[in-house]
Amino acid sequence: MKVCFIGLGTMGYPMAGHLQQKGFDLSVYNRSKDKAQQWSTQYQIAASATLAKAVAEAEIVAVCLGADADVREVLAGDGGVFSAMPRGGVVIDHSTTSAALAREMAACAQERGISFIDAPVSGGQAGAINGRLTVMAGGDETVFARIEPVLAAYATRYQCLGPVGSGQLAKMVNQICIAGLVQGLAEGMHFGAAAGLDMNAVLDVIGAGAAQSWQMDNRAKTMLAGEFDFGFAVDWMRKDLGYVLDEARQRKVSLPVTALVDQFYGQVQNLDGGQLDTSSLLLALQQGAESRR
């Protein structure tokens, strides 16, 4: 199976690495040549010089890019993936985009005789490095079955949840849940510290009870230590929440907590924290407390 991976960023870099280590007939491409060279040196496969060359013989093309505009340019732009890869192939989009973009790309792909699966991932940088991502997919079930061996290289859970766009909608649910949890965790820790509690001890106790969550297990102690460099940046979360809130407005769905947490992430950005990870919501609370003293 000839596979091409496009987009060697925080997530895509290790995901492509897993494909190489699993023995796939792999080509890679990245718009930033420095990152492509770094990956090539580490994994001993020369990155393709052009997008067209990278996908020329690929049966499956996986992309992991930034936002709607990036995906549209790489897939459907002049000289993009859809015009350069063979008919009958499959494009897997691991980017987090709007559901409307996924449906648009699926229609473009169909015109070229190509199948499209929207397949955003969850698990963060650590999940990508450890090959333990979760993939939420939308598309044809038969096509999804074709790509499962690729997904298995870097994910431990992958499921097709409905037609194209369903993966992106499921990722929105994921981000809604994360945003509320992180804000709740930040507020609890901020309150406990203000009350003079030993928060390490408190976390050890409540982490064994109903308050336990992945965020508490993996981020609470680092939040206490003021460490906010775990890969998924505030800027990217705000991008994702923008898609969520746009979709909610179109569907007339009320998301008051999500909208509020999005504003708190805006406060972190105003503190020059856009590249800090999402657990940095605690900083906005601490800054607010300082300004009131």
Side-chain angles (χ1 to χ4, degrees):
M1 185 184 293
K2 293 182 180 295
V3 178
C4 173
F5 200 100
I6 298 171
L8 303 175
T10 299
M11 302 293 286
Y13 191 107
M15 291 166 72
H18 287 298
L19 290 171
Q20 188 273 340
Q21 292 168 338
K22 297 290 185 181
F24 283 88
D25 186 354
L26 182 68
S27 61
V28 299
Y29 176 79
N30 194 66
R31 289 176 293 178
S32 166
K33 302 306 179 186
D34 289 346
K35 199 56 161 298
Q37 182 57 54
Q38 179 185 345
W39 190 95
S40 297
T41 300
Q42 181 173 346
Y43 291 103
Q44 299 299 298
I45 294 179
S48 299
T50 66
L51 179 61
K53 184 176 181 180
V55 305
E57 298 180 358
E59 300 167 64
I60 294 177
V61 176
V63 301
C64 192
L65 301 167
D68 281 23
D70 302 297
V71 174
R72 185 180 289 109
E73 176 187 354
V74 169
L75 294 185
D78 292 340
V81 171
F82 293 151
S83 64
M85 74 178 292
R87 296 178 67 87
V90 182
V91 169
I92 311 168
D93 184 15
H94 287 308
S95 319
T96 296
T97 71
S98 67
L101 188 278
R103 291 187 283 268
E104 176 189 335
M105 291 300 97
C108 292
Q110 186 175 27
E111 292 176 0
R112 299 280 185 167
I114 296 164
S115 299
F116 180 88
I117 298 284
D118 62 299
V121 301
S122 181
Q125 184 177 19
I129 291 170
N130 296 322
R132 299 189 60 82
L133 292 170
T134 295
V135 179
M136 300 147 276
D140 182 86
E141 290 275 4
T142 303
V143 176
F144 183 77
R146 286 178 60 188
I147 69 169
E148 286 191 51
V150 173
L151 303 181
Y154 41 73
T156 53
R157 183 69 184 266
Y158 37 90
Q159 188 169 341
C160 189
L161 298 166
V164 168
S166 298
Q168 297 299 344
L169 293 172
K171 181 62 182 286
M172 293 178 195
V173 174
N174 186 79
Q175 303 304 69
I176 291 167
C177 294
I178 288 174
L181 277 173
V182 178
Q183 180 64 20
L185 179 60
E187 290 186 12
M189 294 171 63
H190 182 59
F191 170 83
L197 295 173
D198 178 345
M199 284 308 300
N200 280 297
V202 171
L203 290 167
D204 286 341
V205 172
I206 68 173
Q212 183 273 340
S213 68
W214 186 97
Q215 297 294 336
M216 182 177 287
D217 290 347
N218 291 274
R219 293 290 178 265
K221 295 294 179 75
T222 54
M223 290 165 73
L224 282 179
E227 298 172 0
F228 304 107
D229 56 351
F230 295 96
F232 189 65
V234 167
D235 287 343
W236 290 114
M237 179 57 111
R238 286 214 81 194
K239 182 265 295 184
D240 292 358
L241 293 181
Y243 294 140
V244 169
L245 295 171
D246 284 346
E247 189 76 29
R249 281 189 287 270
Q250 293 173 31
R251 295 177 180 272
K252 297 181 171 54
V253 174
S254 176
L255 300 177
V257 172
T258 304
L260 187 59
V261 176
D262 178 60
Q263 294 178 42
F264 295 150
Y265 276 124
Q267 292 176 20
V268 177
Q269 288 178 317
N270 292 336
L271 297 172
D272 295 325
Q275 289 303 302
L276 300 178
D277 78 75
T278 52
S279 66
S280 58
L281 281 173
L282 182 60
L283 292 178
L285 294 168
Q286 293 170 337
Q287 181 73 16
E290 287 293 326
S291 65
R292 289 191 293 272
R293 288 176 183 170

